[in-house]
Amino acid sequence: FKQKTAYEIGVRLVGSEMCIRDSYNNMLQSLFDSQIGTISIVFSVIFIMFLILFRSFYLSIIGIIPNLLAAGVVLGSMGLMSIPLDIMTITVAAISVGMAVDNTIHYIHRFKAEFKETGKYNLSMVNSHRTIGRAMLYTSLTIIIGFLVFATSNFNPSVYFGFFVSLAMIMALLGALTLLPQLLVYFKPLGKEK
């Protein structure tokens, strides 16, 4: 009876490889379903909060649009770059929108106060940019730079997380300072000018 080594026998794993691949595919599908559910809940809660805060359906719809833009750009960029969903990237859109909604609330509040005083949409936009626009810029830049620190990590999911949260904040800031004011001026949700 001669002893043979594993190489000579030809050992091959069959069952566990299939099991691991199926488990991984199930996890990815679960992450995808979780992402859709999380984003849906986040935007629903934000919309309800806007309704309570602004007491206007139209103002709430207008306010949610820049935040949808930020989430859409982040998720679209992840898809275009073929970045897989994992534990870190799955939370990016929800966290980003949660932080970015702050810009929308501040801008709409200031715009409403300016419109109440001036009665003019364009003048309210200019005055809002001069005051709250600067504060939004500085606050957002601080958050963006803070999250870009993750880009120095050796752990790829952390790099992606920092990059995509920063991208979302950039898009949210641009949306709040460009798209949101134009929507307010175009749709005139606060009534007619004086």
Side-chain angles (χ1 to χ4, degrees):
F1 180 72
K2 182 182 171 196
Q3 257 188 337
K4 292 186 176 183
T5 64
Y7 180 74
E8 292 173 313
I9 296 174
V11 176
R12 190 177 121 180
L13 294 176
V14 178
S16 60
E17 184 180 319
M18 297 283 287
C19 185
I20 290 170
R21 187 174 45 218
D22 289 345
S23 295
Y24 184 73
N25 287 338
N26 288 340
M27 183 188 75
L28 287 178
Q29 185 59 44
S30 178
L31 284 174
F32 179 74
D33 294 342
S34 171
Q35 177 75 350
I36 292 171
T38 301
I39 292 294
S40 299
I41 290 169
V42 165
F43 279 110
S44 298
V45 168
I46 289 172
F47 183 74
I48 291 167
M49 181 188 67
F50 279 176
L51 284 173
I52 294 168
L53 191 62
F54 302 134
R55 295 184 177 95
S56 167
F57 179 79
Y58 295 113
L59 206 50
S60 299
I61 293 286
I62 289 170
I64 207 99
I65 292 171
N67 297 293
L68 284 169
L69 173 73
V73 166
V74 167
L75 293 174
S77 297
M78 287 171 62
L80 286 174
M81 296 168 75
S82 300
I83 295 175
L85 293 177
D86 58 26
I87 301 303
M88 293 292 273
T89 57
I90 198 75
T91 59
V92 168
I95 290 171
S96 302
V97 170
M99 291 187 306
V101 74
D102 199 38
N103 287 340
T104 304
I105 292 170
H106 286 302
Y107 194 88
I108 291 176
H109 251 288
R110 185 59 184 202
F111 192 94
K112 283 175 68 176
E114 290 294 336
F115 186 78
K116 190 175 185 180
E117 189 176 309
T118 65
K120 304 276 186 214
Y121 280 95
N122 283 328
L123 185 56
S124 298
M125 178 182 67
V126 170
N127 291 343
S128 296
H129 271 70
R130 284 187 184 146
T131 55
I132 198 69
R134 285 185 180 158
M136 288 166 48
L137 176 66
Y138 297 141
T139 304
S140 295
L141 285 176
T142 303
I143 293 169
I144 291 164
I145 291 167
F147 274 100
L148 280 177
V149 169
F150 282 105
T152 63
S153 174
N154 292 330
F155 185 55
N156 278 345
S158 292
V159 173
Y160 292 148
F161 180 76
F163 173 75
F164 286 115
V165 169
S166 296
L167 176 63
M169 290 303 297
I170 290 168
M171 293 311 300
L173 178 65
L174 290 175
L177 290 178
T178 58
L179 180 61
L180 179 61
Q182 290 303 311
L183 291 171
L184 291 169
V185 169
Y186 183 79
F187 289 108
K188 301 183 181 350
L190 302 176
K192 294 183 180 180
E193 293 186 325
K194 294 179 187 173

